[in-house]
Structures are given as C-alpha cells and as structure tokens.
Amino acid sequence: MTQRLQGRTALVTGSTSNIGRAIAQALAAEGAHVIVSGRDQRRGDAVVRDIRAAGGVVDLVRADLDGTPEASHALAAAAADVLGGRIDVLVNNAGIYRSAPTLADTDSASFDRLFAVNVKAPYFLTQAVAPRMVADGGGVVVNLGSWVARLAGPTGGAYAATKAAVESLTRSWAAELGPRGVRVNAVSPGVIRPPDLDPSIGFSENMTVGTPAGAPGHPDAIAAAVVYLASDDARFVHGTVLDVDGGRTGVAVVAA
C-alpha cells in the first residue's frame, strides 16, 4: 500500500460488514487509525481482529445510530476520545434498507425509520464532527449515496429519497465547510454483492444486465473510491458524487 493516510484518524460508521468493513480495512491499510463502529459487537470484534492481523491500527466503538442527535453526538465524542481528540476522516456509511415495494405499502413507521437512520444520523454526526475538524485545521467527510438516488425504479422510493437527500447534503456541506478546510464528497455505489453472502441465498443480478461492467461489484471497489476521496490525491475535489456503479447511471442499459 502507498500509506496515503499515514498518521491520520478515521471514523467509519456501519463498518462491521460488507461495504463498511471493506472501507475500514482499506483506510487502515493506507495507514489510518480507524474506528470501526456498528451495532453488532461480535461482528465488530471480528473486523478489528482482521485489521490488526494485517498490521492495521483499529479500535471498535459500538453505536446504534437511531437518528437522534444524542446517539450521533455520543459516537463522535467516544471516537474522538479513543483517537486522542482528533477525527481527520468521517465516513458516513451506516444505513438501512426497507424494501417497502410500493407507495401504498410504505407505512409511517418504516418511512420515519429510513430517514432517521439514513439521513438524520449522518446529519447530526457530521454536525458533531465537522467543528472538531475545523478547529484542527481541516478534515474530510465522505458520504455513501446510491445509484437509486438518480436512476429511479418503481419500488423502494422511500429508500431512494434518503440517498438523494444524502447526496444533496454532500453538496450543501461542501459549500458550507469547504472554505473552512473540510472537504465533503460522496461515493454512489451500484449493485454490490456481499463477498460473504451465503450461496444458498438468492441474489438478483439482473440490475447489472447491459451495463459496461455486466456484473455486480465488490465492496473493495467502493473502498478504493473512499480512500481516494479521503486522501490528498483528491485535495481539489469538493461536493462531488463519485459513481462507482459499473456504468449503471451513466450509460444506457440495454434490455436483455
């Protein structure tokens, strides 16, 4: 590895599995002291063991980001304590998906839960972390969007709306925080297949038919994009949503 993040600190939410885990592993491999965070202690401990076994510096701070300012602010404070007071990189990855297939099938509780976890939680976490970054002379925020924020389908509209909100906040925060030394960008993943998905569990790959990639992506592709945006290689990148989706949103999809 190039050690592009040597000496820096990073907090990655929702990093006990899948994309978040890959991001935490990649940041640690580039030299960052990483805070792994999520709800599941057992899975978090496993990620920490793997990163340490690879020579990385990592700690676990368990958190359940329910959308309340208290939960987000508590995580920011706990992570900063472990990291010696400084958070250089914040990756807002934690999120939930509720299929709620149609408008008629979406109840109020599911709608509120989606927006609480996917929008309010990163909003208030960034609210807590950004002033620390400004005071320390700068930092980086990377949000996780989704291809469904801009390429609509007939189902999952509430989830898509949460990711559209996150991508909009990315641009707003870039305008607000960029002049104060904090770069804010986002990565928009396409269809990603969890590498540890049980083969007996069905996984639809039809959404990638006709794309240039022609298949689902691996979490490592998203992690590589986050590392780039977190590093000085992206020092002139502000308010950008980087599509890492196999061409899904940028290229016409040919029907099978």
Side-chain angles (χ1 to χ4, degrees):
M1 288 292 181
T2 58
Q3 297 292 292
R4 284 178 285 178
L5 301 174
Q6 184 66 42
R8 301 186 194 180
T9 61
L11 167 60
V12 185
T13 67
S15 48
T16 60
S17 64
N18 203 20
I19 290 175
R21 176 178 58 196
I23 292 170
Q25 291 171 333
L27 294 175
E30 290 285 351
H33 180 175
V34 176
I35 295 294
V36 168
S37 184
R39 292 175 294 177
D40 192 309
Q41 180 78 35
R42 180 184 58 81
R43 293 196 303 183
D45 288 340
V47 175
V48 167
R49 285 195 300 270
D50 288 346
I51 291 176
R52 287 178 178 168
V57 181
V58 62
D59 289 285
L60 173 67
V61 176
R62 186 184 173 279
D64 184 359
L65 297 178
D66 58 6
T68 61
E70 292 79 10
S72 290
H73 289 190
L75 172 58
D81 285 346
V82 174
L83 295 172
R86 185 182 184 102
I87 300 175
D88 297 310
V89 179
L90 169 62
V91 182
N92 285 312
N93 169 75
I96 58 173
Y97 178 78
R98 294 288 184 269
S99 57
T102 67
L103 177 65
D105 293 330
T106 304
D107 60 75
S108 179
S110 296
F111 187 94
D112 289 346
R113 176 69 172 159
L114 278 167
F115 273 83
V117 177
N118 293 1
V119 182
K120 290 180 66 178
Y123 189 100
F124 289 116
L125 183 57
T126 305
Q127 180 188 73
V129 172
R132 296 174 182 270
M133 292 179 170
V134 172
D136 290 334
V140 177
V141 177
V142 182
N143 298 320
L144 269 291
S146 172
W147 65 275
V148 299
R150 280 164 290 125
L151 186 59
T155 61
Y159 172 79
T162 67
K163 290 304 182 178
V166 168
E167 293 189 5
S168 179
L169 287 171
T170 297
R171 292 182 284 271
S172 295
W173 291 343
E176 178 181 354
L177 299 173
R180 302 168 67 191
V182 178
R183 291 191 299 105
V184 185
N185 293 286
V187 176
S188 177
V191 180
I192 303 297
R193 182 184 178 92
D196 52 359
L197 183 68
D198 187 329
S200 66
I201 299 176
F203 183 84
S204 175
E205 300 187 4
N206 61 355
M207 289 183 290
T208 62
V209 172
T211 65
H218 190 280
D220 287 349
I222 310 305
V226 171
V227 167
Y228 163 68
L229 290 174
S231 76
D232 290 341
D233 290 346
R235 64 176 64 88
F236 199 54
V237 182
H238 292 258
T240 291
V241 177
L242 179 57
D243 292 319
V244 185
D245 61 5
R248 175 68 181 175
T249 56
V251 179
V253 176
V254 179

